[in-house]
Amino acid sequence: MNGTVNDLAMSGARPLCLTAGFIIEEGLPMGDLVEVARRMGLAAGRAGVRVVTGDTKVVERGRGDGVYVNTTGVGLVPAGIDVGGGRAQPGDVVIASGTLGDHGMAIMSVREGLEFEAEIASDTAPLHGLVAAMLAVCPTVRVLRDPTRGGAATSLNEIAAAAGVGIALDEATIPVRPVVAAACEILGLDPLQVANEGKLLAVVPADAADRVLGAMRSHEHGRDAAAIGRVVDRHPRIVVMGTGIGGTRIIPMPLGEQLPRIC
Amino acid sequence: MKHLAEYRDADTAQRLAAEIRRIVTRPWAIMEVCGGQTHSIIRNGVDQLLPPEVELIHGPGCPVCVTPLETIDKALAIAVQPGVIFCSFGDMLRVPGSRENLVSAKGRGADVRVVYSPLDAVKLAREHPDRQVVFLAIGFETTAPANAMAVKLAARQGLGNFSMLVSHVLVPPAIEAIMRSPGNRVQAFLAAGHVCSVMGTWQYPPLAGRLRVPIVVTGFEPLDLLEGIRLTVLQLEAGRHEVENAYARVVSERGNEPAQEVIAEVFEAVDRAWRGIGVIPASGWRLAKGYREFDAERRFAVGHVTAAESPLCRSGEVLRGTLKPNQCPAFGQECTPRTPLGATMVSSEGACAAYFHSGRFAPAGS
């Protein structure tokens, strides 16, 4: 639900309604199906969208693995709003709406049975309210992305490629929870490559950056928002990060799933 | 963050770099042995702080990079057998064998699992008595104690369904082989801190004396690396060739003696083929006599599997430091991180992969 709502929000649209297609394995307990539908209803209510139509298909036992639900959404892009990866321009500011890598590390610590001293919480959330608050103070927001699978590194490389620009990040300004940073160190992962939910990246004109950051920080899903870098005309199509000790490194497009390293 | 921020302090890093600039008078080629050090150097941009006189050559200390093609093919031959659960560290999964890698084998139905510790594989063997659980034991001296413990534990618990495909490699013989290889350019080594945390530093003084080469035991954080480089340059400039320890907060002279004992009990030295380099005498470990029954090569009869490297791949020269990745004709052409010919392009610690990403700034020849 949040995934589809956020896909709409990242194109600048106000989500209106969703469809739901159920693929159900024969023998699925009715109670499970009711619970799935109930949770979808709750999520729709929170996001302020309606599920207006749907369909069910039942497949033979052993061919469905329980239930799959596919959602499609329709939204309305307000007049004058034009958000897209190709619109980033040199001089623009890159903003992250909050700490990066929380979701992926939460999943990994559960899946792999890793226990850290502090719990890492997942952060799935609908983001169209945050987007609306941003567009209200800056209708010329250029790019919005929710950096899910592949993490911020993927989204930023996509933006750099689509707009033919470079992106220069500053490691010291990138919000990462200490426990996530520590878990990434242990597993040899890069927080920029770890999946997020309920977070967005934005590219906005420099003169609007403070205004947008202010609006984001007063919204519940943007409290930790931070400017993390700039769009530049140097090194087109490449994302570069200034490191904490004063060096630089390239942030490449991640290849496939991140795999923990041996050393 | 406690214990990390301290070793990444920008001011101290700049001060150490300035000190290195002050003491250096001519060009020096220093090899960092360990892939973890290469990774940290690239990740933090440590090399960019160094004066042009100091050249870092990325050594063969990435276990993923030097594991022979043959071992990968043996792993694949075992992994696709029915009833096998094949366990590996994550970064071995994408290393190409002759025809495919473990990820594609998994896609075809093989039960391939990433584990963080060999003891997890032992646990799987206990939980699945009806399956054969195989662990791909690669790495340097650092990973050997845990692998040895896993075998001991399996033996103690009588787990007849656990075995190991062992391809362990050792640092000191590799240092010797590099120094004696034709066209060698390496003048000093940053020894791998984690290897020495297990093995101590006692193995190295005879090597430094015999080869007349400075060896500085070095850690992995930016300040550790810069301090190791500073001590190395001081030695080179003074014409000394000693063993120094720039990682004393972790490494002692005697090392971790219980770990060394368990290694000596479970493993024995063997000539080992290094991918791209060839066979180095007594440069690896295999299971010792008392533990042969846990040898996956025997249990699954894959001893006959052989493999030939791509004729285009020159990773051996890269690993010896005689060829820069972007001087290889296949670099960025037939060989990219998506279609790697050799392991140095696969591993995130591999020199070719590191160059591919940063080499876009510095095309071949520059």
Side-chain angles (χ1 to χ4, degrees):
Chain A
M1 299 290 289
N2 286 339
T4 302
V5 166
N6 288 344
D7 285 346
L8 289 167
M10 293 311 122
S11 57
R14 187 159 50 82
L16 294 177
C17 47
L18 266 55
T19 71
F22 286 72
I23 296 172
I24 303 162
E25 184 183 3
E26 196 179 23
L28 178 82
M30 274 310 281
D32 291 3
L33 189 60
V34 168
E35 181 60 17
V36 168
R38 191 182 70 82
R39 289 194 186 190
M40 288 177 69
L42 283 176
R46 270 198 302 272
V49 295
R50 291 190 305 148
V51 180
V52 292
T53 185
D55 189 29
T56 56
K57 284 278 175 287
V58 177
V59 296
E60 276 173 56
R61 182 157 215 154
R63 306 218 161 187
D65 200 15
V67 58
Y68 288 89
V69 186
N70 175 275
T71 55
T72 303
V74 176
L76 206 62
V77 180
I81 302 295
D82 182 9
V83 177
R87 298 197 63 242
Q89 294 173 21
D92 289 351
V93 172
V94 181
I95 292 173
S97 69
T99 51
L100 297 179
D102 302 0
H103 175 76
M105 291 317 293
I107 297 290
M108 199 166 291
S109 56
V110 171
R111 190 174 62 190
E112 308 297 347
L114 300 175
E115 287 169 19
F116 298 104
E117 283 173 29
E119 199 166 302
I120 306 173
S122 174
D123 44 12
T124 169
L127 293 171
H128 60 297
L130 177 64
V131 169
M134 295 164 70
L135 290 171
V137 295
C138 174
T140 55
V141 168
R142 310 232 207 251
V143 188
L144 292 166
R145 285 289 157 103
D146 57 338
T148 50
R149 223 178 145 80
T154 298
S155 299
L156 293 168
N157 273 288
E158 285 170 357
I159 295 167
V165 295
I167 292 179
L169 303 176
D170 178 2
E171 187 170 30
T173 62
I174 296 174
V176 179
R177 277 185 220 278
V179 61
V180 170
C184 283
E185 285 289 336
I186 291 168
L187 297 174
L189 304 178
D190 183 344
L192 289 175
Q193 295 191 17
V194 176
N196 304 277
E197 289 288 348
K199 299 288 158 63
L200 66 77
L201 297 173
V203 177
V204 304
D207 58 8
D210 286 340
R211 216 160 58 235
V212 173
L213 277 168
M216 293 175 79
R217 286 173 185 151
S218 46
H219 190 280
E220 60 169 328
H221 296 312
R223 273 194 298 268
D224 301 322
I228 61 170
R230 285 257 181 185
V231 178
V232 295
D233 51 12
R234 303 184 307 276
H235 51 79
R237 296 184 172 77
I238 295 175
V239 181
V240 175
M241 181 163 80
T243 66
I245 61 162
T248 58
R249 74 174 158 116
I250 307 241
I251 306 295
M253 180 70 102
L255 289 171
E257 190 184 358
Q258 265 213 304
L259 299 168
R261 293 184 302 119
I262 172 174
C263 68
Chain B
M1 194 189 320
K2 189 80 179 132
H3 304 316
L4 275 185
E6 293 94 321
Y7 300 103
R8 295 180 183 177
D9 179 68
D11 292 342
T12 316
Q14 296 291 347
R15 207 161 59 237
L16 279 168
E19 179 61 15
I20 294 167
R21 275 195 296 277
R22 194 183 67 77
I23 58 179
V24 75
T25 64
R26 56 196 158 120
W28 298 111
I30 302 170
M31 175 174 277
E32 86 275 4
V33 169
C34 176
Q37 291 169 332
T38 305
H39 187 77
S40 179
I41 287 165
I42 302 289
R43 185 186 157 105
N44 294 292
V46 171
D47 50 340
Q48 295 160 352
L49 303 189
L50 297 174
E53 289 89 346
V54 178
E55 179 191 0
L56 291 177
I57 296 178
H58 309 315
C62 161
V64 177
C65 299
V66 298
T67 300
L69 193 56
E70 211 163 275
T71 304
I72 313 286
D73 282 356
K74 286 175 182 171
L76 287 160
I78 295 169
V80 298
Q81 295 191 22
V84 166
I85 300 176
F86 195 89
C87 303
S88 165
F89 293 129
D91 40 6
M92 289 304 291
L93 260 58
R94 269 199 288 266
V95 181
S98 298
R99 280 178 306 278
E100 63 171 348
N101 60 23
L102 285 165
V103 171
S104 52
K106 187 178 180 186
R108 292 196 295 120
D111 191 348
V112 176
R113 303 189 191 183
V114 172
V115 294
Y116 297 95
S117 157
L119 297 176
D120 293 343
V122 176
K123 191 162 158 243
L124 276 172
R126 205 164 47 237
E127 290 166 357
H128 300 278
D130 54 325
R131 309 273 303 269
Q132 282 289 328
V133 176
V134 184
F135 178 72
L136 176 53
I138 63 148
F140 282 83
E141 294 92 327
T142 324
T143 51
N147 291 344
M149 282 307 296
V151 175
K152 271 192 76 150
L153 193 65
R156 196 184 307 147
Q157 298 180 347
L159 293 174
N161 63 330
F162 177 82
S163 61
M164 237 179 215
L165 180 59
V166 181
S167 188
H168 265 294
V169 279
L170 309 177
V171 167
I175 287 182
E176 179 126 24
I178 287 162
M179 286 303 289
R180 299 197 187 283
S181 70
N184 167 56
R185 296 175 53 238
V186 179
Q187 295 165 296
F189 290 91
L190 305 181
H194 288 163
V195 167
C196 294
S197 71
V198 173
M199 301 306 290
T201 61
W202 57 267
Q203 294 180 307
Y204 292 91
L207 207 56
R210 202 161 61 234
L211 301 169
R212 305 183 64 78
V213 66
I215 300 177
V216 177
V217 178
T218 302
F220 298 82
E221 293 300 324
L223 297 191
D224 291 322
L225 287 158
L226 286 164
E227 173 64 5
I229 293 164
R230 186 185 73 86
L231 290 177
T232 307
V233 171
L234 276 174
Q235 283 206 45
L236 287 165
E237 290 285 342
R240 290 184 285 126
H241 44 83
E242 298 161 11
V243 174
E244 285 182 283
N245 186 357
Y247 199 34
R249 73 176 188 280
V250 173
V251 173
S252 67
E253 195 203 339
R254 295 157 75 96
N256 182 340
E257 288 173 307
Q260 292 169 33
E261 280 160 23
V262 71
I263 289 171
E265 180 191 332
V266 173
F267 293 124
E268 65 185 24
V270 63
D271 296 350
R272 178 73 69 199
W274 294 53
R275 190 168 195 175
I277 292 180
V279 175
I280 303 177
S283 67
W285 281 321
R286 68 172 173 196
L287 289 168
K289 263 209 179 65
Y291 294 95
R292 287 281 159 78
E293 60 182 298
F294 296 99
D295 185 348
E297 256 182 79
R298 292 178 167 217
R299 186 170 298 176
F300 295 91
V302 292
H304 64 284
V305 172
T306 56
E309 297 282 352
S310 160
L312 293 175
C313 178
R314 294 172 67 181
S315 62
E317 292 160 76
V318 172
L319 290 171
R320 285 194 301 268
T322 55
L323 184 79
K324 294 274 184 207
N326 55 2
Q327 292 166 342
C328 173
F331 178 82
Q333 304 293 319
E334 294 90 345
C335 186
T336 69
R338 272 188 200 282
T339 56
L341 293 180
T344 44
M345 188 59 99
V346 179
S347 165
S348 58
E349 291 165 14
C352 293
Y355 261 70
F356 183 84
H357 297 304
S358 61
R360 290 184 283 189
F361 276 142
S366 71

